[in-house]
């Protein structure tokens, strides 16, 4: 499958996830049987789209002093690094907190949950990268936290009323981790590059 076909398939899958998340998570076991790596087939093309949209957005809208390719590439790479580190941290938090609370989740399942749940983050990053003046749409990324919790509720029959501490730990861990990673990488690239 070439990149365009993969993006079309992923767009259909992600629209279903965003609009009908319960239906998506009930079909999740079928998605696991596809035999393809969700990371390579879903996450990596999303990262590529984000990279391209950040570069295009910077060239079109933030080139007041001319096109500074080094700055543009630094911003695009920083965005990719933030998303990659958030993926790893979210996967680690979901797996460890779930195991700590006695939920029998497998590593590959938690990885796939995080990959699919990062769809709103990828969309928000692509749109705000392409149109930097729409940065308020970055709030759509919070929908990812809801998708993670809904996935755990649907796949492992977790009741929010009884497991409020579990949900709070997962959501706050992912949110705080994202904020810390973003601040650290922003400061590091500012110190190292400039």
């Amino acid at each position: 499958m070439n990149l365009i076909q993969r993006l079309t398939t992923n767009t259909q899958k992600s629209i279903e996830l965003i609009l009908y998340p319960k239906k998506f998570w009930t079909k999740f076991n079928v998605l696991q049987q596809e035999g393809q790596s969700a990371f390579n087939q879903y996450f990596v093309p999303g990262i590529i789209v984000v990279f391209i949209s950040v570069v295009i957005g910077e060239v079109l809208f933030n080139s007041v002093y001319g096109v500074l390719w080094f700055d543009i590439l630094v911003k695009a790479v920083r965005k990719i690094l933030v998303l990659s580190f958030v993926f790893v941290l979210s996967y680690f938090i979901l797996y460890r907190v779930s195991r700590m609370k006695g939920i029998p989740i497998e590593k590959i399942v938690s990885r796939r949950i995080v990959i699919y749940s990062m769809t709103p983050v990828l969309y928000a990053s692509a749109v705000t990268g392409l149109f930097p003046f729409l940065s308020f749409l970055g709030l759509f990324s919070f929908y990812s936290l809801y998708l993670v919790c809904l996935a755990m509720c649907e796949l492992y029959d977790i009741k929010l009323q009884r497991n409020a501490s579990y949900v709070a730990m997962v959501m706050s861990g992912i949110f705080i981790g994202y904020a810390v990673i973003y601040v650290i990488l922003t400061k590091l690239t500012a110190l190292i590059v400039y």
Side-chain angles (χ1 to χ4, degrees), residues 118-162:
M118 284 189 70
T119 299
V121 174
L122 292 173
Y123 273 123
S125 298
V127 170
T128 58
L130 192 57
F131 305 108
F133 51 87
L134 295 176
S135 61
F136 64 91
L137 291 178
L139 294 174
F140 181 60
S141 299
F142 285 112
Y143 191 58
S144 291
L145 296 174
Y146 169 74
L147 291 177
V148 169
C149 291
L150 184 64
M152 295 306 291
C153 290
E154 290 293 318
L155 297 174
Y156 293 98
D157 199 31
I158 295 173
K159 304 296 182 218
L160 291 178
Q161 296 82 4
R162 288 186 297 182

Side-chain angles (χ1 to χ4, degrees), residues 56-120:
I56 292 171
E58 289 294 320
V59 168
L60 293 177
F61 298 109
N62 286 339
S63 56
V64 176
Y65 303 107
V67 177
L68 304 172
W69 286 107
F70 183 73
D71 289 345
I72 291 170
L73 292 177
V74 165
K75 286 181 183 179
V77 168
R78 180 177 57 213
K79 181 64 98 174
I80 298 306
L81 287 175
V82 167
L83 292 173
S84 300
F85 285 138
V86 166
F87 161 71
V88 171
L89 183 72
S90 299
Y91 155 68
F92 179 76
I93 288 172
L94 180 64
Y95 180 73
R96 288 293 172 198
V97 171
S98 298
R99 287 298 211 177
M100 187 176 71
K101 291 291 187 175
I103 298 169
I105 191 170
E106 298 173 11
K107 286 184 177 184
I108 192 160
V109 174
S110 64
R111 192 175 312 126
R112 284 182 182 251
I113 288 172
V114 169
I115 287 170
Y116 289 124
S117 295
M118 284 189 70
T119 299

